[in-house]
Amino acid sequence: MAFTRKRQREQQLQLYSKERFSLLLLNLEEYYFEQHTAFHIQSQSSHEERKIRGSLKICSKSVIFEPDAISQPIIKIPLRDCLKIGKHGENGAHRHSAKAKSSGISLIFRQVYFIKEHNIVAPYKIERGKMEYVFELEVSGKVEDVVETLLQLHRASCLDKLGDQTAMITAILQSRLARTSFDKNRFQSVSEKLHMECKAEMVTPLVTNPGHVCITDTNLYFQPLNGHPKPVVQITLQDVRRIYKRRHGLMPLGLEVFCTEDDLCSDIYLKFYEPQDRDDLYFYIATYLEHHVAEHTAESYMLQWQRGHLSNYQYLLHLNNLADRSCNDLSQYPVFPWIINDYSSPELDLSNPGTFRDLSKPVGALNQERLERLLTRYQEMPEPKFMYGSHYSSPGYVLFYLVRIAPEYMLCLQNGRFDNADRMFNSIAETWKNCLDGATDFKELIPEFYDEDVSFLVNSLKLDLGKRQGGQMVDDVELPAWASSPQDFLQKNKDALESSYVSEHLHEWIDLIFGYKQKGSEAVGAHNVFHPLTYEGGVDLNSIEDPDEKVAMLTQILEFGQTPKQLFVTPHPRRITPKFKSVSQASSYSASVTDSPVSPGEESFEDLTEESRSLAWNNITKLQLHEQYKIHKEAVTGIAVSCNGSSVFTTSQDSTLKMFSKESKMLQRSISFSNMALSSCLLLPGDTTVISSSWDNNVYFYSIAFGRRQDTLMGHDDAVSKICWHNNRLYSASWDSTVKVWSGVPAEMPGTKRHQFELVAELEHDVSVNTINLNAVSTLLVSGTKEGMVNIWDLTTATLLHQISCHSGTVCDAAFSPDSRHVLSTGVDGCLKVIDVQTGTLISSMASEEPQRCFVWDGNSVLSGSRSGELFVWDLLGAKISERIQGHTELKTEPRALASALHSTTELNPQPQSMLFPTMPF
């Protein structure tokens, strides 16, 4: 559980310092400056006094005294409540002793807080009335400096305007930071090289701690100005796995560093005073990580989730991370959805759709009657309008759920008090009911509801959280009838989150929280409009000149909660879930795309009964060059292999079609149809006819048995760039900006009669078409143009489904995954792009230093041929290049073709002018 792990780390640091004191004892936006060993002088009589030893903490808005004896309470005196501050004995004050006179500090005030008496976490006790406390410093020579500091901070606290207070305290802080620097003696090694040093604050929930950041060639350091909770925080760069730039208070000042792959709990969160310092530090760390850690994007995680390589829980964690949600920032704590709608039945039926909440609607829209009232108010509201007066995630809501494990945070947020007992997190069912019916309650859940740690549901600390109106004490959270224990409740929550129903609908909730329904007209239509201040870019704090207004605005932002950073601007694809196989060649677009299943154990979308194909892909990185033959004078543009693997047909820009025998290792035929380049070739079923496309605008049919040209199709007004064939239909792409579909009636006797072709469809494009491919059942066609556009067509209706701008230049190749769910494209820009077929969303992008001219893929891995002649093996899910295999050594022009299948002969990307035959060791 994210918050529990964060709390455990803080407690470990607390053990390091052996203090009861915590920065949570400070007010929000308050700083802890320094501490001094001191004695609290308590007068027993006119001649007797009692000294209590402890630590005197000087903070920006208060003075805190922590006695060494845990039986004594921590004392907190707000500076704004001080009437007089000075050296003890001055101006007629009592002189208890000479030592007190020289080393005592007198505070006269009207209010004091007593905290953690006997080290018990409880609401603060308050004593009011005029009183005087005297503190004697162990080092008497520091009294004047401490008094001067307190008087300066007291003046700041007593200023009328909050903005002026903040400005003066900030000036004091910056002056202290400017007079200090990082202690280089804290370096782990004398050989470390300093890269940069700057001022920053370490961020933990509800707390920021100022100090100095330092980065060397091996380590990242943070040294708190006050030395709390430890002198230096050190992170080895070699251990860093992820770094994220963060918004903090809607400003681009945050940086979060993780030494784990999947944990929400980071190792350090830093807030900088200048964006440039944040960006410079990010650059240094990113440069170090560039060769060590693969960068993941929302699109790459989406692809892994769609394919079943990430659970729903893991995917939501990653999205939260990418959207600036952090367990260090309670105003941007990770948000998870309510999933279950039934908290009254004795048994939980996860096969019943009625068990689940409607994930297509925000919480505020789940109750139609309440929604109508909110919409009426929304329509009558002046600009800027909003539907909900509170957010679905805020510091108060987070601590509402976590009060049993984070009571000190609740006390910090609520000025030393717990909430009213009847408003506490008492019951799951009550909380859900209030979210449905409450006038201002629209909160979602937090990750802890889908984790394993039950401590937030159990009052294991035996906290006194108050008594409800019915007389019962607030204790453990009341669970639904269908949960036999807190462990059972969390397990069933997890089961619900990973259920088929949620897997099929989770993308709808993602659209609301992280996606295209978060803002604008789509948000209005989805009844998903919150206060403008909660959105990124909703307010420019730098443009607000009035300091009071700026502080008030920032306070409102932090307390109200913030909407996640928008990650997607188009509809999020749904997850691929197990259903039934649809293999009909006549299946429609919806059947071939939406209903194609994936077996739960599949790691690829291939039919895994094809053992040789699966084995080939599993060993794809072990390809070795076996044979190579040079048979063309110019670049090879197409390859076709006979079913038995004995013959290889190739086309080239030298205008020839050639037939090579693998058995005899000899060139058997060389045919030229014109003096123009040939662009592609394919074998018709039966291996009796080979078809070639040409730059002379024609498609040629060659009879292998009779050794002659059988037919010519003059179908285009410019060069034919690519051809495909399926079920007696020919598909031809051309630079004349069309893709044409021809119905071909085969000859009765091969080689004796001409084919009869009828144009059945023409798919018009705006620019030249460079490549095409079909899905497995030929219901969909993908085309790539010379201007970088990828188009997906429904062949059953000859209509354009999606047009996606993918590449900055010509699309070299494009092909469907074996299950038709995705399209992969490559371009001269060196990028590989993955597109979700159902939504047309670009969901993944990878780049190489050179164009990848052609490829084959199984849905997870890609084998591509580069312009330099190298073969690349790509791991799409890991977003990395797994292997680079030397294929060809010289390049005269750009190759275009890879074999359409990994066969036992494994025909792959040909070197211009030559063919190579790699083998795979099994």
Side-chain angles (χ1 to χ4, degrees):
M1 182 163 57
F3 198 90
T4 303
R5 287 190 288 268
K6 170 62 65 178
R7 189 74 183 111
Q8 287 169 348
R9 289 187 186 180
E10 291 177 356
Q11 288 170 345
Q12 288 171 358
L13 292 176
Q14 205 77 5
L15 289 173
Y16 178 94
S17 61
K18 298 181 180 179
E19 293 180 328
R20 282 185 294 159
F21 171 76
S22 161
L23 295 178
L24 292 168
L25 300 183
L26 279 59
N27 294 343
L28 296 178
E29 302 298 313
E30 183 177 6
Y31 298 108
Y32 165 36
F33 285 140
E34 60 191 53
Q35 68 91 24
H36 304 273
T37 301
F39 298 88
H40 179 203
I41 310 299
Q42 293 182 334
S43 299
Q44 303 293 331
S45 66
S46 60
H47 301 290
E48 295 182 15
E49 63 183 23
R50 179 188 178 196
K51 292 185 177 183
I52 300 176
R53 191 177 191 277
S55 175
L56 188 68
K57 320 284 186 181
I58 309 302
C59 306
S60 59
K61 297 180 182 180
S62 62
V63 177
I64 295 176
F65 180 74
E66 177 194 15
D68 291 345
I70 65 171
S71 61
Q72 296 290 323
I74 294 173
I75 299 169
K76 178 178 178 180
I77 304 170
L79 287 172
R80 69 175 182 274
D81 291 326
C82 288
L83 302 173
K84 190 172 183 179
I85 300 173
K87 292 172 65 177
H88 182 61
E90 289 182 338
N91 301 323
H94 294 292
R95 295 181 174 90
H96 296 292
S97 67
K99 187 174 182 182
K101 179 180 177 182
S102 62
S103 60
I105 298 172
S106 169
L107 300 176
I108 300 175
F109 50 88
R110 54 177 174 260
Q111 182 170 269
V112 62
Y113 295 90
F114 299 104
I115 306 168
K116 296 179 76 171
E117 188 173 4
H118 296 286
N119 207 23
I120 296 172
V121 177
Y124 302 170
K125 295 178 181 178
I126 305 175
E127 184 176 328
R128 294 183 175 91
K130 185 176 179 180
M131 60 198 91
E132 180 185 13
Y133 277 11
V134 177
F135 299 97
E136 179 184 292
L137 299 189
E138 188 174 63
V139 181
S140 59
K142 293 185 177 181
V143 170
E144 288 190 9
D145 290 340
V146 172
V147 169
E148 184 179 345
T149 298
L150 288 174
L151 289 172
Q152 187 181 33
L153 293 170
H154 179 252
R155 286 195 297 273
S157 297
C158 293
L159 292 172
D160 292 336
K161 294 185 176 181
L162 187 60
D164 293 339
Q165 293 180 27
T166 302
M168 186 171 177
I169 290 172
T170 300
I172 294 171
L173 170 63
Q174 292 301 321
S175 175
R176 284 173 168 261
L177 287 170
R179 295 196 305 267
T180 58
S181 62
F182 185 87
D183 181 3
K184 308 302 188 298
N185 292 321
R186 295 288 181 176
F187 282 177
Q188 293 292 301
S189 169
V190 293
S191 63
E192 285 186 64
K193 296 179 181 178
L194 175 67
H195 281 313
M196 72 170 285
E197 178 184 345
C198 64
K199 299 175 289 186
E201 296 177 8
M202 187 170 72
V203 179
T204 52
L206 301 181
V207 169
T208 58
N209 198 11
H212 295 276
V213 170
C214 186
I215 188 167
T216 70
D217 54 346
T218 55
N219 291 289
L220 171 67
Y221 299 95
F222 176 77
Q223 186 171 32
L225 184 65
N226 49 40
H228 181 86
K230 59 187 296 187
V232 169
V233 177
Q234 178 251 332
I235 294 174
T236 304
L237 294 181
Q238 190 174 356
D239 294 337
V240 175
R241 302 268 74 80
R242 296 173 289 144
I243 54 172
Y244 297 98
K245 292 181 179 180
R246 297 294 195 209
R247 289 178 301 159
H248 190 274
L250 293 186
M251 300 286 284
L253 299 173
L255 182 71
E256 195 160 19
V257 180
F258 293 79
C259 293
T260 56
E261 289 290 354
D262 300 316
D263 199 344
L264 261 180
C265 183
S266 67
D267 290 80
I268 194 167
Y269 186 137
L270 296 170
K271 171 199 169 188
F272 296 81
Y273 297 109
E274 298 295 336
Q276 189 61 50
D277 287 340
R278 189 275 303 267
D279 293 343
D280 288 346
L281 191 72
Y282 178 90
F283 172 78
Y284 281 120
I285 300 177
T287 302
Y288 181 89
L289 297 181
E290 187 174 3
H291 304 295
H292 300 81
V293 180
E295 182 179 0
H296 290 284
T297 62
E299 290 76 16
S300 66
Y301 285 129
M302 181 201 297
L303 186 63
Q304 294 182 55
W305 173 72
Q306 271 199 294
R307 294 168 180 269
H309 290 259
L310 288 177
S311 67
N312 292 337
Y313 175 79
Q314 290 171 321
Y315 186 45
L316 290 177
L317 286 185
H318 288 307
L319 293 185
N320 272 283
N321 234 327
L322 292 171
D324 282 343
R325 313 303 285 189
S326 167
C327 62
N328 282 301
D329 185 352
L330 296 188
S331 68
Q332 298 188 92
Y333 200 77
V335 56
F336 269 59
W338 284 97
I339 293 295
I340 297 170
N341 183 46
D342 180 5
Y343 293 101
S344 58
S345 298
E347 299 292 334
L348 188 66
D349 183 5
L350 296 182
S351 64
N352 178 11
T355 298
F356 299 93
R357 164 255 184 108
D358 185 347
L359 289 166
S360 68
K361 298 177 181 179
V363 168
L366 293 174
N367 182 329
Q368 186 61 35
E369 182 180 341
R370 178 180 64 177
L371 177 62
E372 289 174 0
R373 293 196 301 269
L374 293 169
L375 290 178
T376 299
R377 187 191 68 174
Y378 172 77
Q379 292 160 2
E380 297 171 350
M381 186 182 296
E383 295 291 344
K385 296 183 175 184
F386 54 90
M387 295 178 186
Y388 309 113
S390 62
H391 205 255
Y392 50 76
S393 176
S394 69
Y397 287 158
V398 173
L399 295 178
F400 168 85
Y401 291 127
L402 298 178
V403 64
R404 288 168 177 80
I405 58 168
E408 291 173 89
Y409 292 84
M410 176 68 84
L411 294 173
C412 176
L413 186 68
Q414 301 202 150
N415 298 316
R417 302 185 303 272
F418 290 132
D419 203 352
N420 180 281
D422 287 295
R423 292 197 300 266
M424 298 285 275
F425 181 32
N426 294 304
S427 159
I428 302 292
E430 282 182 13
T431 302
W432 172 240
K433 184 178 186 302
N434 201 52
C435 288
L436 290 180
D437 301 335
T440 60
D441 193 348
F442 315 108
K443 60 179 172 286
E444 292 278 9
L445 296 182
I446 54 176
E448 281 76 359
F449 279 82
Y450 303 100
D451 212 317
E452 298 177 352
D453 193 329
V454 301
S455 57
F456 77 104
L457 299 170
V458 181
N459 187 16
S460 57
L461 298 177
K462 303 304 178 185
L463 300 168
D464 182 358
L465 298 173
K467 184 181 292 187
R468 304 187 66 182
Q469 287 185 354
Q472 67 271 37
M473 297 296 294
V474 176
D475 198 27
D476 297 347
V477 177
E478 183 182 338
L479 303 175
W482 45 257
S484 60
S485 66
Q487 291 81 2
D488 185 48
F489 171 74
L490 291 189
Q491 183 59 54
K492 286 175 177 172
N493 259 9
K494 290 192 289 184
D495 293 342
L497 179 62
E498 304 301 335
S499 66
S500 296
Y501 178 89
V502 174
S503 293
E504 292 170 9
H505 294 278
L506 186 59
H507 65 284
E508 299 171 339
W509 186 82
I510 292 171
D511 285 335
L512 295 170
I513 306 302
F514 304 104
Y516 81 112
K517 292 183 178 180
Q518 187 195 90
K519 299 178 183 178
S521 59
E522 293 289 350
V524 175
H527 306 131
N528 194 39
V529 182
F530 294 86
H531 195 285
L533 285 180
T534 68
Y535 293 94
E536 184 177 24
V539 62
D540 181 5
L541 290 176
N542 291 325
S543 67
I544 301 175
E545 297 181 357
D546 185 290
D548 286 340
E549 183 183 351
K550 180 180 288 189
V551 171
M553 189 77 71
L554 181 60
T555 301
Q556 185 176 353
I557 290 169
L558 295 177
E559 293 182 358
F560 191 85
Q562 297 176 50
T563 300
K565 179 193 295 183
Q566 188 174 24
L567 300 178
F568 309 105
V569 294
T570 56
H572 191 288
R574 64 181 295 174
R575 194 174 195 186
I576 301 165
T577 54
K579 288 189 178 179
F580 55 89
K581 278 200 178 289
S582 175
V583 296
S584 169
Q585 292 186 358
S587 61
S588 66
Y589 163 72
S590 60
S592 63
V593 175
T594 306
D595 297 330
S596 296
V598 181
S599 299
E602 273 187 342
E603 292 198 358
S604 134
F605 294 125
E606 300 252 19
D607 181 355
L608 295 185
T609 59
E610 300 180 17
E611 294 182 6
S612 62
R613 184 181 294 266
S614 176
L615 188 60
W617 277 109
N618 290 337
N619 290 274
I620 197 68
T621 59
K622 300 177 183 178
L623 283 174
Q624 297 175 355
L625 180 61
H626 180 58
E627 295 174 330
Q628 179 172 318
Y629 302 96
K630 182 173 180 178
I631 61 175
H632 285 283
K633 296 179 180 179
E634 298 292 342
V636 177
T637 57
I639 296 179
V641 184
S642 60
C643 290
N644 61 12
S646 62
S647 298
V648 180
F649 296 85
T650 60
T651 53
S652 169
Q653 288 186 5
D654 64 9
S655 78
T656 61
L657 166 69
K658 299 201 175 187
M659 177 179 175
F660 182 86
S661 171
K662 283 200 65 185
E663 295 175 346
S664 64
K665 297 180 172 42
M666 295 182 62
L667 181 65
Q668 293 186 325
R669 297 182 193 178
S670 179
I671 308 101
S672 181
F673 301 113
S674 73
N675 61 355
M676 298 288 283
L678 299 179
S679 56
S680 65
C681 64
L682 59 84
L683 274 166
L684 292 186
D687 289 352
T688 59
T689 303
V690 61
I691 310 178
S692 301
S693 57
S694 173
W695 285 7
D696 67 3
N697 311 350
N698 297 327
V699 178
Y700 296 99
F701 293 75
Y702 177 80
S703 172
I704 299 170
F706 289 88
R708 65 189 182 194
R709 183 172 64 183
Q710 185 177 345
D711 205 349
T712 302
L713 175 63
M714 296 178 285
H716 288 277
D717 300 323
D718 205 337
V720 181
S721 53
K722 183 75 180 292
I723 52 175
C724 298
W725 178 277
H726 186 271
N727 199 24
N728 291 330
R729 289 202 169 185
L730 174 69
Y731 304 82
S732 58
S734 171
W735 295 354
D736 66 7
S737 305
T738 66
V739 173
K740 294 184 178 181
V741 185
W742 310 85
S743 176
V745 180
E748 293 178 6
M749 291 289 293
T752 61
K753 290 188 178 180
R754 300 167 65 88
H755 288 71
Q756 300 297 316
F757 287 98
E758 176 185 355
L759 181 64
V760 295
E762 185 170 335
L763 312 179
E764 295 186 356
H765 296 67
D766 296 328
V767 294
S768 298
V769 182
N770 195 56
T771 185
I772 56 170
N773 255 310
L774 304 172
N775 70 333
V777 292
S778 297
T779 56
L780 300 173
L781 178 143
V782 59
S783 59
T785 72
K786 286 196 171 183
E787 292 190 357
M789 201 72 68
V790 172
N791 306 280
I792 300 174
W793 300 81
D794 180 0
L795 292 177
T796 62
T797 58
T799 56
L800 180 64
L801 298 174
H802 304 293
Q803 188 175 59
I804 309 101
S805 180
C806 284
H807 298 278
S808 57
T810 300
V811 179
C812 300
D813 202 0
F816 290 92
S817 58
D819 68 344
S820 303
R821 301 278 185 176
H822 300 99
V823 162
L824 176 68
S825 65
T826 61
V828 294
D829 57 6
C831 293
L832 274 72
K833 302 292 182 79
V834 180
I835 301 163
D836 179 78
V837 172
Q838 184 183 19
T839 62
T841 304
L842 183 63
I843 61 174
S844 183
S845 179
M846 294 177 64
S848 63
E849 64 271 20
E850 59 181 315
Q852 303 299 307
R853 306 303 302 168
C854 44
F855 67 85
V856 287
W857 73 313
D858 72 337
N860 294 336
S861 300
V862 180
L863 178 65
S864 66
S866 70
R867 186 169 60 184
S868 66
E870 276 189 301
L871 303 177
F872 286 68
V873 180
W874 304 74
D875 174 10
L876 290 180
L877 302 183
K880 63 183 179 181
I881 297 174
S882 302
E883 193 71 33
R884 297 175 70 149
I885 304 165
Q886 186 60 47
H888 303 277
T889 56
E890 181 184 355
L891 179 71
K892 290 189 175 180
T893 185
E894 298 173 347
R896 283 210 37 173
L898 276 172
S900 60
L902 284 172
H903 195 269
S904 58
T905 54
T906 321
E907 299 78 15
L908 297 169
N909 178 39
Q911 160 70 13
Q913 312 175 34
S914 66
M915 299 183 301
L916 58 81
F917 298 99
T919 59
M920 204 174 297
F922 296 122

